Amino acid sequence: MVFAGCESSGKSTLINNLLEKNEVPRKTLALEFSFCRRSRGSCLPKIVVHLWELGGGMKLSDLLDVIITKDSVKKLCIVIVLDLSKPTQLWAHLIHFISSLESNINIALEEIRSQSNHPDCGLISTFPVPLTIIGSKYDTFLNFKLEYRDLIARSLRFVAHFHGAALFVIIRDYLNCLAFDTSFPVIPPTVEGGPLHILPGQDSFDSIGPPPSDSYLKQTNEGTPFQLWEKAFTRRFPQVC
């Protein structure tokens, strides 16, 4: 399981939760490794999960090449953690890690997972390994204007659904289930009116709706839906890398 994303966004805290550690995390300098074990019963060997954390944000993302190999990719899970309190960095980090990781993973993969029968399957580009997107610092996010919160939430929903990813703001027990390959209870998604909680395939483009249609976007008569969402987000929140 690989954790990447914005600097100081809570990646180490999530890993400490998996490790059942109650301590203040220290700053991650580069690519750090840890592991955790869980018992499956008295007569069965324990499950061992390798945990990798990338520090430094986008600057050190090339280090991820070390752990994405033909041997590891079939059991790989990606967790991208985003700082909701810094929307001027959010889109750049999200798209950078999705693009660079997907490229490296596709090189290592022998076969790409088949897409589901979801009504949007012809419009999405499913990420080749399980992908989870987490928005952190929700308390600060709640202080933003309603229109800003709506744009951030629907933009994240679009990117997550486009890539067949899970999207959470309050994570609950999903990472434990993902790490140790146990079933996660399927509950109705929370897509608005509270912290986002959406499993892969639970959202839809119809539910997300189109990006804001201001005068800038009305002048744009070309571009994919992904490009339109990117323009809408980065026009409101110019990215600072």
Side-chain angles (χ1 to χ4, degrees):
M1 180 174 282
V2 178
F3 290 77
C6 301
E7 292 186 77
S8 302
S9 58
K11 299 183 293 296
S12 298
T13 299
L14 291 170
I15 290 175
N16 280 349
N17 289 340
L18 283 173
L19 297 174
E20 298 180 342
K21 288 184 177 180
N22 185 19
E23 60 184 42
V24 178
R26 56 183 175 78
K27 183 177 179 62
T28 304
L29 299 178
L31 185 63
E32 295 193 1
F33 171 78
S34 56
F35 68 92
C36 56
R37 296 189 181 97
R38 290 288 189 279
S39 174
R40 295 185 294 180
S42 58
C43 299
L44 296 173
K46 291 184 177 181
I47 299 175
V48 179
V49 177
H50 294 177
L51 305 171
W52 295 89
E53 180 185 0
L54 178 71
M58 295 188 293
K59 298 188 294 292
L60 300 178
S61 60
D62 288 347
L63 293 176
L64 293 173
D65 296 350
V66 175
I67 57 177
I68 300 176
T69 67
K70 290 181 179 179
D71 295 328
S72 68
V73 70
K74 292 183 179 180
K75 296 183 178 180
L76 191 64
C77 298
I78 303 294
V79 180
I80 298 176
V81 186
L82 304 169
D83 187 341
L84 295 178
S85 70
K86 297 178 180 177
T88 56
Q89 298 179 11
L90 187 152
W91 186 275
H93 280 77
L94 176 59
I95 302 309
H96 170 83
F97 281 112
I98 285 179
S99 299
S100 60
L101 285 165
E102 186 173 28
S103 176
N104 291 333
I105 289 168
N106 282 334
I107 292 173
L109 277 174
E110 296 179 357
E111 294 182 358
I112 302 297
R113 294 183 305 163
S114 60
Q115 294 186 348
S116 68
N117 293 322
H118 190 283
D120 292 335
C121 65
L123 303 173
I124 64 179
S125 177
T126 306
F127 203 72
V129 300
L131 173 64
T132 303
I133 299 171
I134 299 173
S136 66
K137 303 186 181 178
Y138 182 66
D139 52 344
T140 303
F141 169 79
L142 289 176
N143 294 326
F144 293 167
K145 293 180 180 179
L146 178 60
E147 63 177 297
Y148 292 177
R149 298 201 306 268
D150 178 71
L151 176 58
I152 293 170
R154 292 200 300 126
S155 298
L156 288 176
R157 286 176 60 194
F158 176 85
V159 175
H161 185 56
F162 183 81
H163 289 290
L167 174 62
F168 301 106
V169 168
I170 296 179
I171 190 60
R172 302 177 189 174
D173 297 322
Y174 182 75
L175 291 184
N176 273 297
C177 296
L178 189 64
F180 297 102
D181 196 24
T182 57
S183 60
F184 185 76
V186 178
I187 61 176
T190 301
V191 297
E192 58 184 13
L196 296 173
H197 184 278
I198 308 171
L199 295 175
Q202 285 189 325
D203 215 338
S204 70
F205 292 131
D206 283 344
S207 175
I208 296 167
S213 55
D214 58 20
S215 58
Y216 172 79
L217 290 176
K218 288 178 181 178
Q219 296 172 5
T220 305
N221 53 17
E222 294 183 357
T224 64
F226 197 100
Q227 290 169 332
L228 292 177
W229 273 103
E230 181 176 26
K231 289 174 182 176
F233 190 92
T234 56
R235 178 170 170 80
R236 175 62 66 184
F237 303 111
Q239 298 297 284
V240 180
C241 301

